[in-house]
Amino acid sequence: MIPEPCSHPNDELMPYSDDDTEEEPDTGVTPDPTRSNGESRDTVRRDYSWQVKANDQYFHQQPQFKSPMLLGFKRSKYKGNAIRTYKYNPITFLPLNLLEQFKRAANFYFLVLLILQSIPQISTLSWYTTLVPLLLVLGVTAVKDLLDDIARHRMDNEVNNRRCEVIREGRFKSTKWKDIRVGDILRLRKNTFVPADVLLLSSSEPNSLCYVETAELDGETNLKFKMALEVTHRYLQEEGAMANFDGLVECEEPNNRLDKFAGTLLWRNSRYSLDAQKILLRGCRIRNTEFCHGLVIFAGADTKIMRNSGKSRFKRTKIDSLMNYMVYTIFLLLILLSAGLAIGHTYWEQQVGNWSWYLYDGQGFSPAYRGFLSFWGYIIVLNTMVPISLYVSVEVIRFVQSYFINWDLQMYYPEKDTAAKARTTTLNEQLGQIHYIFSDKTGTLTQNIMTFKKCCINGHRYGDSRDGAGQLQSHPQEVDFSWNLYADGKFSFYDHYLIEQVRGGKDPEMHKFFLLLAICHTVMVDTSDGQLQYQAASPDEGALVTAARNFGYVFLSRTQHSITLSEMGTERTYDVLALLDFNSERKRMSVIVRESGGNIRLYCKGADTVIYERLHPSNPKREATQEALDVFASETLRTLCLCYRDIDPQEFEAWNGRFLEASVASTRRDEALDQVYEEIEQNLILLGATAIEDKLQDGVAETIARLSKADIKIWVLTGDKKETAENIGFSCELLTHETIICYGEDTSALLQTRLANQQNPTGTSSHPSLGMKDPSFQGTRDRALIITGSWLNEILLEKKKRKKRKRLKLKVPRVEEEKSQRAEPTKEQQQQSFVELACECRAVICCRVTPKQKAMVVELVKKYKRAVTLAIGDGANDVNMIKTAHIGVGISGQEGMQAVMASDYSLAQFRYLQRLLLVHGRWSYLRMCKFLSYFFYKNFAFTLVHVWFSFFNGFSAQTAYEDWFITLYNVLYSSLPVLLVGLLEQDVSDKLSLRYPRLYVVGQRDLLFNYKTFFLSLLHGALTSLVIFFIPYGAYLKSMGQDGEAPSDYQSFAITAASALIFVVNFQMGLDTSYWTFVNAFSVFGSIALYFGITFDFHSAGIHVLFPSGFQFTGTAPNALRQPYLWLTMVLAITICLVPIVAQRFLAMTLWPSESNRVLQHHGANGHQWRPHPTAFHRGIPSRRSAYAFSHQRGYGDLISSGRSLRRKRAPLDPGIPTFGMLDP
């Protein structure tokens, strides 16, 4: 057995990503030597378990394709195409929703409490005191869940009811997406979405090419091409042939690998190999192809886009979890209090109750049994310690906060008519606690629009705002391209001097420069509405060809062996002798053409690192161009070098022979071609360089700067190349010139050193201080980590798994198994060490990562840092990451909506994230914390009065208040002020929240709501309850009313304590309110007025006559509250409760002001607006130019060279413009 060679990971390759292992069965089957040319070239035929028969639904209903279900039923393993994200239907809504709600401990507790209250022996409270709040909670929550689920139904119906043409009864008929099945034949039209994963059979394009846009998958708008098998292209063009097609596809099971597919097509006794280039994925959009036909392979939940969506996770906030633990703490406290009071009742019965004849109730219960009944009685009486209205109030606050986000006009994007949207109502306060943001790049940070900004030609830099004489302009003016009939109206340029030089035609190097841009590329051209339309394999290449077009060098058409240009109005055709296409290792492309005079010339463009190695020794403009490259790099532009060389005909003939020989090589063809390319791409003459701007979305740099000041770390996770991702890092100021960048190899070395020190702590090491908790970097300098997906797999030991081949089993020591067992803890240590190291960096950029790796990185940070994470993206490849993070944000307004559908919040632009977090998130956290702290306080102040009363009623579980007061206290009398604080509270304005991002830190550190604040609320409530009980008790102890009657009866005492409590808790809420409005003031005083209004009504004689058993405090309030003595008692209680709080708040604001207090005091003097730091040119900075992202794979070079992409005839342009057809030679 030959061991696999060990090598460093390839930074350019996208690593393998799948949930399953790749099976490699050693079948020993050899290929049939008589197979046709279209058959698979695999040396081993794979065994595939997924079989699809075209136009035969009975085939998929066979028993072997069914899997068992519950109760012996079976269902087909082939999924339908309908997508379902909703949870309920009209039949299941009520039972399922109630089941979910009663899974909450508090709801279930109150249901048990309601049952206990129906037992007369243990209940001293009426059943309605629990039923009314419980029904209110269940009803409000059910309505909210219903509205959320209706929205999901609508979205599902919108997708499932889209239409496409499907073969039915031998004809193409319009069919809904949800009715599409595996094995159906589809016809897809131009600009429509692909409804399932389909095998491309044929199209309207030459050789059945099909151009697709994958914005729905990855956010990229540049076109990609697919191509059908030659045999299906030839025979499956007509409707009748489609209806009679009976091919059998055998392929891999459904998986999440977007870029891989393996299978075979068995048709007409021949077998044909299938790969990813022949598959159209669900979510792609057909472009530049009038129609195409396909066979459905995977449908619905089996499609790759749905497989990449990850598992839907139930998300809950940190405050939710903490609140649940606090409720459990209250449960425990309730049980302990009830048990203690029950023991007190048992003791009282033994000492007093049994010896007091006037207390005999006719029941011969023992003191212990009476104590047992008293325990359950106190569980009922003290139940308000566990506030049932807490949950419904939290739901209402979150629901309204979500609408505040939806209604925020400052997060509205008018260009796309798109507003921010809170797609969930349960995570708002978590927006104020984010530690890490994981962002996609393409379409999230950038617009995926490349623009030609500057260039260097023959050592001279162009692109600054200058007039025709070369003088700098203070007010930039766009260049007028109206002289050029082919000019693209969207192209903007501000250097008039360059235009004058080009139109002057005096500089031959300038002519060669723009000629190279127009001729050295793999762009495809088409016409639409009489205008040229370019389709490029990458947006960079399209930007360069468009720039050449506007400067007068227009690419018009091409054939397999020629290319036609318009050079300053003169049409010329060049013979294309060879096209040396780009790949990620070469980082350059070349074209060899024969000019009209017979001269043979090679034009080449590529990254400066590879071009400068191949330049002729005598290049006088080499240094000047290098300086220009450094200037462009300092401005975060993507650079590219242009060069050429003349080739002698004899040299070309000799090289062309080697080129043709390499082109038909049966093995290692790509390596052979690269070697031949290397021979001719030597001794190049430098023409200059281009500078392209990968345009960021507006406000990205400002947003990142503000979020960084809020102590939020931002990681970029992208599938782009390393150089491209690094360049964007500088553009958005994640990276600066002072940043020390650590790459994959550096990270691997650091982690190996740390792991060695952990395993041998007493041994010697070059870095003995490195440990699990020790910093990986020495010093405090600004550092960033840039790592590729291949290095990530290598470092985290996430290597590609392969199924073991069957071999002869010998009895040997189990060394491999022991090594595997030892490797497991090493893997966890390695992952934890990597997370610790990465989190020491100011910024982290992970490039060439797969959707699964994005989710893995987020999961690792959640696991080892226990930090609150947010993921933001715009494509289907971000869905897994968005679902994994605590909060997922989708960028809407783009063509791809998969990320939005899976997200918790959607925004139109990345820049709105700062307002979502620093304003809405911080306010939501502040409001929720104030709400919870006050809610627990007012309930403890209310409930613990019963405990103090117990010492004076023989621990008999008698209530200190009227039953209706207990019922309405949390519902009406004290709910509105705290609810409005939870909705409207602000410590500082939105402008100051953005101006001072450090205000955000309190949420990250959980400073406003934790167990400390909970116990402080408990203590505060307990002290308030002592005052509420004992001040009236002391006042009533020996007193006499004005009419000679003692006001110290139980009912008068209950009214006095209740009235004092209402004043105290509402005024306390007023003291806790920072942002006063008319609504807040009305709620505080309105709640007090409402209490007295209802109380006087309930104590009236009229209602007692109607309901004598339900209203027993007849006349109590009118009689008691006319006594000035009682009002003075309430004033005393209110004063004792509130004056210490006022004094404490004054001292705290004076001696220990909070961050928000300091901002309010000094924002005028210390406020400043964020401004981007001007980037100056620094000599000696390391080169960080992009190696020119032609594409992530080879371009259209093979298609052009083979002629497979070219039509016989093209539609003409506008009548006034001459037509240059694309004619095959």
Side-chain angles (χ1 to χ4, degrees), residues 209-257:
L209 281 173
C210 181
Y211 297 95
V212 296
E213 183 181 80
T214 59
E216 189 92 1
L217 296 175
D218 53 21
E220 295 184 5
T221 55
N222 51 292
L223 297 190
K224 300 174 178 62
F225 68 89
K226 305 289 183 178
M227 188 165 61
L229 287 168
E230 181 182 353
V231 64
T232 58
H233 160 68
R234 185 183 307 167
Y235 297 110
L236 297 179
Q237 293 288 346
E238 302 298 329
E239 184 178 69
M242 293 288 175
N244 294 326
F245 178 57
D246 60 351
L248 175 66
V249 173
E250 297 178 346
C251 64
E252 59 193 9
E253 291 283 329
N255 57 66
N256 67 350
R257 292 173 289 184

Side-chain angles (χ1 to χ4, degrees), residues 1125-1182:
Y1125 185 81
L1126 299 189
W1127 286 100
L1128 291 174
T1129 302
M1130 285 189 280
V1131 170
L1132 178 62
I1134 294 167
T1135 303
I1136 294 175
C1137 285
L1138 297 182
V1139 168
I1141 300 301
V1142 174
Q1144 183 267 334
R1145 298 289 167 84
F1146 174 77
L1147 290 175
M1149 291 184 65
T1150 305
L1151 302 178
W1152 308 285
S1154 65
E1155 188 75 26
S1156 58
N1157 289 333
R1158 286 194 290 266
V1159 166
L1160 287 173
Q1161 293 170 10
H1162 305 293
H1163 74 88
N1166 298 336
H1168 62 276
Q1169 293 287 349
W1170 180 91
R1171 291 180 177 86
H1173 301 291
T1175 306
F1177 169 60
H1178 297 275
R1179 291 187 178 273
I1181 63 173

